[in-house]
Amino acid sequence: MRSEPLVSIVVPSYNQGRFLEETLHSILDQDYPSLEGLVVDGDSSDDSVEILRRHADRLAWWTSEPDEGQAAALNKGFARARGDVLGWVASDDTLLPGAVSRVVAELERDPELLLVYGEALFVDVAGQELFPLPARPFDLATMVARCSNHVVQPGSLFRRRAYELAGPLNERGYYLFDFEFVLRVGSLGKVKPIPDRLATYRAHPDSKSVGAPLAKARDFIRIADEFLPGSDLPGAEAGRASAYLTAGEYFYEALALPEARRALLRGLRRRRSRRGLVLLGRSVLPRRLVGPLRARRRAGAAARD
């Protein structure tokens, strides 16, 4: 009788003690029997290490030491992982019950699949539902051209073969290293979305999805300048335009107005964008005026939601 493949879930963490225990339980309490959890903590100064010590007997491995960021922590964890199927869960996200079994079943159904992903649910700090994050179709050319990741990372799993072919994760990346990885995987083999909700994705001021606009802007510039040129991916030049324009938006959000202008101009030379033109015009205003404009735009967006 064929045994289930071992699944290794790596948790990168840094000063997320208020969420870490919930994350660990969501992984270790899965109904899938052949699973190991590994935690790579970046020398946290909160109670994270105490939490890890409490759960040490249920973890395959954990460490707490300085590292070079999330991608480096994940590579360190994957180097220790023994599984045939790999994945990661950020220390402020959770897996929903049955998530691992559902994804493994899909991988087992089609041996050619390299990566499977599903839906997630955005939640707030208290875990209250905000809105769903759907699993959009995996369309490599569209994802590249729009510089938009359709793969919902929490709950996704990939074969070790995918990591061996497309990894390791780019440790120079901040926000988009997972996007680079799934593009490489998708250029080498099959990736499939499933219509199942697999995880929660927590939105809070310290999360990458909500904060750090300056770091995100610089990562989009990196993608445009370093990753897409020479990648041979379909839509790469259109993707560079999208990356510059998105970087311009994040620079604008961070009130880094000279950087915003440079990025927006680089994008607009490649593609017309009404939104880009509006932001370019606003970026020449004094910084003291841009802040209130940005606040009104946020309030309008919130009211529409």
Side-chain angles (χ1 to χ4, degrees), residues 190-205:
K190 292 175 65 175
V191 176
K192 182 179 180 179
I194 56 176
D196 295 70
R197 187 168 292 174
L198 303 174
T200 66
Y201 203 158
R202 199 181 305 266
H204 58 91

Side-chain angles (χ1 to χ4, degrees), residues 39-54:
V39 181
V40 185
D41 179 77
D43 196 25
S44 292
S45 58
D46 63 2
D47 61 345
S48 295
V49 172
E50 295 172 27
I51 294 168
L52 292 172
R53 285 177 178 149
R54 285 205 302 270

Side-chain angles (χ1 to χ4, degrees), residues 214-260:
L214 195 58
K216 286 189 278 195
R218 289 170 177 158
D219 216 29
F220 274 97
I221 294 292
R222 181 186 61 81
I223 287 288
D225 287 348
E226 298 177 16
F227 175 69
L228 288 173
S231 67
D232 294 325
L233 289 168
E237 278 306 305
R240 295 185 73 199
S242 297
Y244 288 131
L245 290 169
T246 304
E249 291 206 35
Y250 280 125
F251 279 130
Y252 179 86
E253 185 72 15
L255 295 178
L257 301 182
E259 292 93 336

Side-chain angles (χ1 to χ4, degrees), residues 17-177:
R18 57 179 173 161
F19 306 125
L20 179 59
E21 193 145 31
E22 183 182 1
T23 298
L24 293 179
H25 278 294
S26 80
I27 297 166
L28 300 174
D29 295 342
Q30 288 284 310
D31 64 359
Y32 186 79
S34 187
L35 182 148
E36 64 174 15
L38 306 93
V39 181
V40 185
D41 179 77
D43 196 25
S44 292
S45 58
D46 63 2
D47 61 345
S48 295
V49 172
E50 295 172 27
I51 294 168
L52 292 172
R53 285 177 178 149
R54 285 205 302 270
H55 293 82
D57 61 333
R58 300 186 66 194
L59 293 170
W61 177 76
W62 70 274
T63 188
S64 181
E65 59 190 12
D67 57 42
E68 298 301 317
Q70 190 177 36
L74 287 167
N75 285 332
K76 186 187 297 183
F78 290 139
R80 290 272 186 163
R82 298 176 296 120
D84 299 310
V85 176
L86 307 174
W88 78 83
V89 178
S91 53
D92 50 1
D93 300 333
T94 67
L95 292 181
L96 293 176
V100 172
S101 295
R102 177 67 185 90
V103 178
V104 171
E106 201 67 37
L107 288 167
E108 291 288 272
R109 192 172 292 118
D110 184 352
E112 293 185 9
L113 279 174
L114 290 180
L115 185 150
V116 173
Y117 62 102
E119 300 179 357
L121 181 68
F122 268 103
V123 299
D124 63 15
V125 172
Q128 298 300 305
E129 178 176 341
L130 295 174
F131 55 88
L133 182 62
R136 291 175 286 173
F138 190 85
D139 182 331
L140 190 65
T142 298
M143 289 167 59
V144 174
R146 296 179 181 174
C147 208
S148 174
N149 192 358
H150 292 188
V151 174
V152 180
Q153 187 277 311
S156 65
L157 294 175
F158 46 91
R159 297 188 191 277
R160 176 176 290 277
R161 184 168 80 254
Y163 185 75
E164 291 170 349
L165 290 170
L169 302 174
N170 188 345
E171 297 184 8
R172 297 190 64 251
Y174 169 77
Y175 186 60
L176 297 167
F177 65 83

